[in-house]
Amino acid sequence: MTETFDPNEAPAAVPHPETAAVTLDDVRHVAALANLQLTAEEEPRMQHDLNAILEHVAQLQKLNTDGVEPMAQVGQLLQKAPALGGSSLRPDAVKPSVDRTVVMEEAPDTDGRFFKVPKVIER
């Protein structure tokens, strides 16, 4: 007997984040949302990996970050001059782009203005 699974139906809520564990139903739900087809062998491996990630995040959440300033780049923490000053970046300059008509002539399927691609998501 095969179990039917509705990808639009959210899995049951887990009561408390510290006791939260990814179930096989959660794996199937996320896979369906991502339009992935997992085999029966892949589902438990994915469940294990996702639970390991959540365990690691839970450990990180226990860290005391009082007095730690938010940052956008690791270079800010390392105090490296190029990362702070941007001297390693190229100047932001306007340059001519490729000619659209030339590109469209090379495209396998186009309407002259846009690329046409086959539909890949079906539900």
Side-chain angles (χ1 to χ4, degrees), residues 17-51:
E18 289 185 5
T19 60
V22 177
T23 66
L24 285 177
D25 284 340
D26 295 332
V27 170
R28 291 179 188 122
H29 179 72
V30 171
L33 291 174
N35 201 28
L36 297 175
Q37 294 179 347
L38 299 177
T39 65
E41 294 80 27
E42 291 172 320
E43 287 177 352
R45 289 196 326 245
M46 183 63 68
Q47 179 186 21
H48 175 269
D49 291 349
L50 291 173
N51 278 315

Coordinates of all heavy atoms in Angstrom, one line a residue, residues 17-51:
P17 N 11.0 24.0 19.9 CA 12.2 23.9 19.0 C 13.3 23.1 19.5 O 14.0 22.5 18.7 CB 12.6 25.4 18.9 CG 11.5 26.2 19.4 CD 10.7 25.3 20.3
E18 N 13.5 23.0 20.8 CA 14.7 22.2 21.3 C 14.4 20.7 21.1 O 15.3 19.9 21.0 CB 15.0 22.5 22.7 CG 15.6 23.8 22.9 CD 16.0 24.1 24.3 OE1 15.9 23.3 25.2 OE2 16.4 25.3 24.5
T19 N 13.1 20.3 21.0 CA 12.8 18.9 20.8 C 12.4 18.6 19.4 O 12.1 17.5 19.0 CB 11.7 18.4 21.7 OG1 10.5 19.2 21.4 CG2 12.0 18.6 23.2
A20 N 12.5 19.6 18.5 CA 12.1 19.5 17.1 C 13.0 18.6 16.4 O 14.2 18.6 16.5 CB 12.2 20.9 16.4
A21 N 12.4 17.7 15.6 CA 13.2 16.8 14.8 C 12.5 16.7 13.4 O 11.3 16.8 13.4 CB 13.3 15.4 15.4
V22 N 13.3 16.7 12.4 CA 12.7 16.6 11.0 C 12.2 15.2 10.8 O 12.9 14.2 11.0 CB 13.8 16.9 10.0 CG1 13.2 16.8 8.6 CG2 14.3 18.4 10.2
T23 N 10.9 15.0 10.5 CA 10.4 13.7 10.2 C 10.4 13.4 8.7 O 10.8 14.3 7.9 CB 8.9 13.7 10.6 OG1 8.1 14.6 9.8 CG2 8.7 14.1 12.1
L24 N 10.2 12.2 8.4 CA 10.1 11.8 7.0 C 9.0 12.6 6.2 O 9.2 13.0 5.1 CB 9.9 10.3 6.8 CG 11.2 9.5 7.1 CD1 10.8 8.0 7.0 CD2 12.3 9.8 6.2
D25 N 7.9 12.9 6.9 CA 6.9 13.7 6.3 C 7.4 15.1 6.0 O 7.1 15.7 5.0 CB 5.7 13.8 7.2 CG 4.8 12.5 7.2 OD1 5.0 11.7 6.2 OD2 4.0 12.3 8.1
D26 N 8.2 15.6 6.9 CA 8.8 17.0 6.7 C 9.7 16.9 5.5 O 9.7 17.8 4.6 CB 9.6 17.4 7.9 CG 8.8 17.6 9.2 OD1 7.6 18.0 9.0 OD2 9.4 17.5 10.3
V27 N 10.5 15.9 5.4 CA 11.5 15.7 4.2 C 10.7 15.7 2.9 O 11.0 16.3 2.0 CB 12.3 14.5 4.4 CG1 13.1 14.2 3.1 CG2 13.3 14.6 5.6
R28 N 9.6 14.9 2.9 CA 8.8 14.8 1.7 C 8.1 16.1 1.4 O 8.0 16.5 0.2 CB 7.7 13.7 1.9 CG 8.3 12.3 2.0 CD 7.2 11.3 2.2 NE 7.9 10.0 2.5 CZ 7.7 9.2 3.6 NH1 6.8 9.7 4.5 NH2 8.3 8.1 3.7
H29 N 7.7 16.8 2.4 CA 7.0 18.1 2.2 C 8.0 19.1 1.6 O 7.7 19.8 0.6 CB 6.5 18.7 3.5 CG 5.8 20.0 3.4 ND1 4.6 20.2 2.7 CD2 6.2 21.2 3.8 CE1 4.3 21.5 2.8 NE2 5.2 22.1 3.4
V30 N 9.2 19.2 2.1 CA 10.2 20.1 1.6 C 10.7 19.7 0.2 O 10.9 20.6 -0.7 CB 11.4 20.2 2.6 CG1 12.6 21.0 2.0 CG2 11.0 20.8 3.9
A31 N 10.8 18.4 0.0 CA 11.2 18.0 -1.3 C 10.2 18.3 -2.4 O 10.5 18.7 -3.5 CB 11.5 16.4 -1.3
A32 N 8.9 18.2 -2.0 CA 7.8 18.5 -2.9 C 7.8 20.0 -3.2 O 7.6 20.4 -4.4 CB 6.5 18.1 -2.3
L33 N 8.0 20.8 -2.2 CA 8.1 22.3 -2.4 C 9.3 22.7 -3.3 O 9.2 23.6 -4.1 CB 8.2 23.0 -1.0 CG 7.0 23.0 -0.1 CD1 7.3 23.6 1.2 CD2 5.8 23.6 -0.8
A34 N 10.4 21.9 -3.2 CA 11.5 22.2 -4.0 C 11.5 21.5 -5.3 O 12.4 21.5 -6.1 CB 12.8 21.8 -3.3
N35 N 10.4 20.8 -5.6 CA 10.2 20.0 -6.8 C 11.3 19.0 -7.0 O 11.9 18.8 -8.1 CB 10.1 20.9 -8.0 CG 9.4 20.2 -9.2 OD1 8.6 19.4 -9.0 ND2 9.7 20.6 -10.4
L36 N 11.7 18.3 -5.9 CA 12.7 17.3 -5.9 C 12.0 15.9 -5.8 O 11.1 15.8 -5.0 CB 13.7 17.4 -4.7 CG 14.5 18.7 -4.7 CD1 15.3 18.8 -3.5 CD2 15.4 18.8 -6.0
Q37 N 12.6 14.9 -6.4 CA 12.1 13.6 -6.3 C 13.1 12.8 -5.6 O 14.2 12.4 -6.2 CB 11.7 13.0 -7.6 CG 10.6 13.6 -8.3 CD 10.3 13.0 -9.7 OE1 11.1 12.3 -10.2 NE2 9.1 13.4 -10.2
L38 N 12.9 12.5 -4.3 CA 13.8 11.7 -3.5 C 13.5 10.2 -3.6 O 12.3 9.9 -3.5 CB 13.9 12.2 -2.1 CG 14.3 13.6 -1.8 CD1 14.2 13.9 -0.3 CD2 15.7 13.8 -2.3
T39 N 14.4 9.3 -3.6 CA 14.2 7.9 -3.6 C 13.9 7.5 -2.1 O 14.2 8.3 -1.2 CB 15.4 7.1 -4.2 OG1 16.5 7.3 -3.3 CG2 15.7 7.5 -5.6
A40 N 13.4 6.3 -2.0 CA 13.2 5.8 -0.6 C 14.5 5.7 0.2 O 14.5 5.8 1.4 CB 12.6 4.4 -0.7
E41 N 15.6 5.5 -0.5 CA 16.9 5.4 0.2 C 17.4 6.8 0.5 O 18.2 7.0 1.5 CB 18.0 4.8 -0.7 CG 17.7 3.3 -1.0 CD 16.7 3.1 -2.1 OE1 16.5 3.9 -3.0 OE2 16.0 2.0 -2.0
E42 N 17.1 7.8 -0.3 CA 17.6 9.2 0.0 C 16.8 9.9 1.1 O 17.4 10.8 1.8 CB 17.4 10.1 -1.3 CG 18.4 9.6 -2.4 CD 18.1 10.4 -3.7 OE1 16.9 10.5 -4.1 OE2 19.1 10.7 -4.4
E43 N 15.6 9.6 1.3 CA 14.7 10.2 2.3 C 15.3 10.1 3.7 O 15.5 11.2 4.4 CB 13.3 9.7 2.3 CG 12.5 10.2 1.1 CD 11.1 9.6 1.0 OE1 10.8 8.7 1.9 OE2 10.3 10.1 0.2
P44 N 15.7 9.0 4.2 CA 16.3 8.9 5.6 C 17.6 9.6 5.6 O 18.0 10.3 6.7 CB 16.5 7.4 5.8 CG 15.7 6.7 4.8 CD 15.5 7.6 3.7
R45 N 18.4 9.6 4.6 CA 19.7 10.3 4.6 C 19.5 11.8 4.7 O 20.1 12.6 5.4 CB 20.5 10.0 3.3 CG 21.1 8.6 3.3 CD 22.2 8.4 2.3 NE 22.1 9.2 1.1 CZ 21.9 8.6 -0.1 NH1 21.8 7.3 -0.2 NH2 21.8 9.4 -1.2
M46 N 18.5 12.3 3.9 CA 18.1 13.7 4.0 C 17.6 14.1 5.4 O 17.9 15.2 5.9 CB 17.1 14.1 2.9 CG 16.7 15.5 2.8 SD 18.1 16.6 2.3 CE 18.4 16.1 0.7
Q47 N 16.8 13.2 5.9 CA 16.3 13.4 7.3 C 17.4 13.6 8.3 O 17.5 14.5 9.1 CB 15.4 12.3 7.7 CG 14.8 12.4 9.1 CD 14.0 11.2 9.5 OE1 14.2 10.1 9.0 NE2 13.1 11.4 10.5
H48 N 18.4 12.7 8.2 CA 19.6 12.7 9.1 C 20.3 14.0 8.9 O 20.7 14.7 9.8 CB 20.5 11.5 8.8 CG 21.8 11.6 9.6 ND1 22.9 12.2 9.1 CD2 22.1 11.1 10.8 CE1 23.9 12.1 10.0 NE2 23.4 11.4 11.0
D49 N 20.6 14.4 7.6 CA 21.3 15.6 7.3 C 20.6 16.9 7.9 O 21.2 17.8 8.4 CB 21.6 15.8 5.8 CG 22.6 14.8 5.3 OD1 23.2 14.0 6.1 OD2 22.7 14.6 4.1
L50 N 19.3 17.0 7.6 CA 18.6 18.1 8.1 C 18.5 18.2 9.6 O 18.7 19.3 10.2 CB 17.1 18.1 7.5 CG 17.0 18.3 6.0 CD1 15.6 18.1 5.5 CD2 17.5 19.7 5.6
N51 N 18.4 17.1 10.3 CA 18.4 17.1 11.7 C 19.8 17.5 12.2 O 19.9 18.2 13.3 CB 18.0 15.7 12.3 CG 16.6 15.5 12.3 OD1 15.8 16.4 12.8 ND2 16.1 14.4 11.9

